[in-house]
């Protein structure tokens, strides 16, 4: 009997959870527990790490999981690598549900960089007003350029002081709208944006706003994750489940 573990935390994972719930597929949704009050899902939900690849393999066996779908964020490389290892260890088939990277279009002024360190180096030396739209886990390196004013957007209020001397945080959980992000950039007189190439529609608004304002964007490329089966749409995932399991293709 099919039983899916869905590694979530993205808009795509939420859309897939809705589709699986509507199709009556037996599935469990998984959050890391990074945020205080994550969006509720229409599936039974577990929260917190598994304890590495071994812990995930143990979970797959103990819970009788027959299919593993990794719909985590492109920058959640640790989780994705653990999913590959646990799938190999247990034989539970794995599918990554991933969205394509954003591509610069006409009118975009992108400086593409490989990692956060290169993103810091790409910022100017002259003091600027920078929108750091990368969350809170990778802020420390930007202290090397403390001459800038940083605008942060965080999901939860910061527990302690921010690691940047001249920074202010707006607290918001996406998906974000284009007009809202345009207003955010103009109200805060932003001159530069730093973003992760996460793809998807949930975080794209700031890039469209940047294009309209002619602002430079420092774009951090996503980490490479080794070979695994991938799908780009909910329907592809449902077809894979049908093909890989003994379930009739879920209707609806
Ligand atoms: C805990 C679940 C949904 C999912 C919504 C998507 C869209 C909004 C855009 C900006 C960029 C950022 C950040 C972002 C986006 C969606 C999606 C996406 C970026 C939630 C969520 C969890 C997280 C974790 C959080 C990270 C942080 C990253 C903020 C929920 C809202 C910057 C990534 O405080 C922290 O520690 C936050 C940590 C990982 C990156 C970082 O390093 O700080 N996401 N984001 C998930 C879990 O516990 O498993 O709280 O409801 C999910 C979403 N975040 O259902 O609609 O699909 O991409 N999330 C980035 O892309 O750059 C914000 O502000 O413009
Ligand atoms: P990560 O660095 O790849 O993973 C670190 C550890 O967190 C994993 O090894 C695992 O712990 C645990 N973990 C991560 N995702 C999990 C999940 N969905 N369910 C259970 N445990 C999980 O992950 P991250 O970048 O911090 O991302 C954490 C969550 O936020 C993910 O759900 C991701 O989709 C979401 N998110 C991340 C970003 C981002 O920019 N990184 C953006 C949007 C959403 P164990 O080793 O103990 O199993």
């Amino acid at each position: 009997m099919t039983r899916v573990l869905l590694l979530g935390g993205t808009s795509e994972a939420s859309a897939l959870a809705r589709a699986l719930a509507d199709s009556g597929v037996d599935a469990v949704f998984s959050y890391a527990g990074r945020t205080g009050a994550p969006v509720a899902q229409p599936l039974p939900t577990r929260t917190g790490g598994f304890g590495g690849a071994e812990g995930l393999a143990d979970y797959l066996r103990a819970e009788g999981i027959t299919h593993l779908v990794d719909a985590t964020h492109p920058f959640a490389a640790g989780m994705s690598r653990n999913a590959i290892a646990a799938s190999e260890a247990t034989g539970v088939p794995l599918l990554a549900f991933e969205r394509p990277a954003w591509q610069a279009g006409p009118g975009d002024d992108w400086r593409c960089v490989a990692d956060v360190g290169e993103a810091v180096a790409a910022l100017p030396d002259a003091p600027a007003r920078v929108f750091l739209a990368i969350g809170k886990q990778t802020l420390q390196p930007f202290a090397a350029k403390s001459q800038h004013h940083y605008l942060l957007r965080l999901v939860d209020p910061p527990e302690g002081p921010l690691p940047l001397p001249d920074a202010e945080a707006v607290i918001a959980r996406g998906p974000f709208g284009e007009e809202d992000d345009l207003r955010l950039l103009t109200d805060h007189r932003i001159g530069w944006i730093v973003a992760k190439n996460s793809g998807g529609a949930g975080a794209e608004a700031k890039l469209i706003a940047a294009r309209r304002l002619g602002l430079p964007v420092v774009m951090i490329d996503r980490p490479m994750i080794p070979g695994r089966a991938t799908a780009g749409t909910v329907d592809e995932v449902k077809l894979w489940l049908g093909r890989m399991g003994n379930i009739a293709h879920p209707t609806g």
Side-chain angles (χ1 to χ4, degrees):
M1 194 54 197
T2 293
R3 184 156 157 74
V4 180
L5 174 63
L6 173 50
L7 302 176
T10 60
S11 308
E12 284 72 13
S14 298
L16 180 58
R18 168 51 56 205
L20 293 179
D22 292 348
S23 303
V25 174
D26 180 4
V28 178
F29 190 96
S30 181
Y31 276 127
R34 275 274 181 286
T35 54
V39 163
Q41 295 295 338
L43 292 172
T45 298
R46 65 161 303 284
T47 300
F50 295 95
E54 302 72 27
L56 176 56
D58 292 345
Y59 181 90
L60 296 176
R61 295 186 189 102
E63 291 294 323
I65 300 296
T66 60
H67 297 74
L68 179 56
V69 177
D70 177 0
T72 60
H73 189 274
F75 280 74
M79 183 72 257
S80 294
R81 291 190 181 109
N82 287 355
I84 292 168
S87 170
E88 286 165 359
T90 61
V92 172
L94 166 67
L95 181 71
F97 180 24
E98 60 178 20
R99 59 246 190 148
W102 293 312
Q103 307 288 337
D108 284 336
D109 174 7
W110 287 12
R111 320 308 165 77
C112 295
V113 295
D115 54 36
V116 172
E118 286 190 17
V120 178
L123 289 177
D125 291 329
R129 296 177 64 83
V130 180
F131 176 30
L132 271 190
I134 56 171
K136 80 175 179 200
Q137 296 181 94
T138 53
L139 294 177
Q140 186 59 46
F142 290 90
K145 288 203 172 172
S146 57
Q147 67 271 34
H148 300 315
H149 172 77
Y150 289 104
L151 171 67
L152 313 179
R153 179 151 64 185
L154 305 176
V155 179
D156 296 318
E159 287 94 11
L162 294 166
L164 302 169
D166 180 6
E168 65 177 300
V170 294
I171 306 303
R173 167 186 282 113
F176 304 105
E178 190 181 315
E179 293 310 317
D180 294 339
D181 276 10
L182 194 65
R183 192 172 313 112
L184 183 76
L185 297 178
T186 47
D187 289 354
H188 290 269
R189 294 178 286 115
I190 296 299
W192 286 75
I193 293 173
V194 179
K196 292 175 181 171
N197 197 328
S198 62
E204 196 175 17
K206 58 186 177 280
L207 304 179
I208 298 166
R211 184 182 304 143
R212 284 173 59 178
L213 295 171
L215 300 182
V217 175
V218 177
M219 182 62 75
I220 304 171
D221 292 333
R222 58 180 62 174
M224 290 305 293
I225 296 172
R228 56 191 181 160
T230 62
T233 67
V234 168
D235 278 344
E236 282 175 62
V237 177
K238 288 164 67 174
L239 282 172
W240 177 79
L241 288 174
R243 202 170 51 242
M244 297 296 285
N246 52 2
I247 54 168
H249 175 47
T251 53

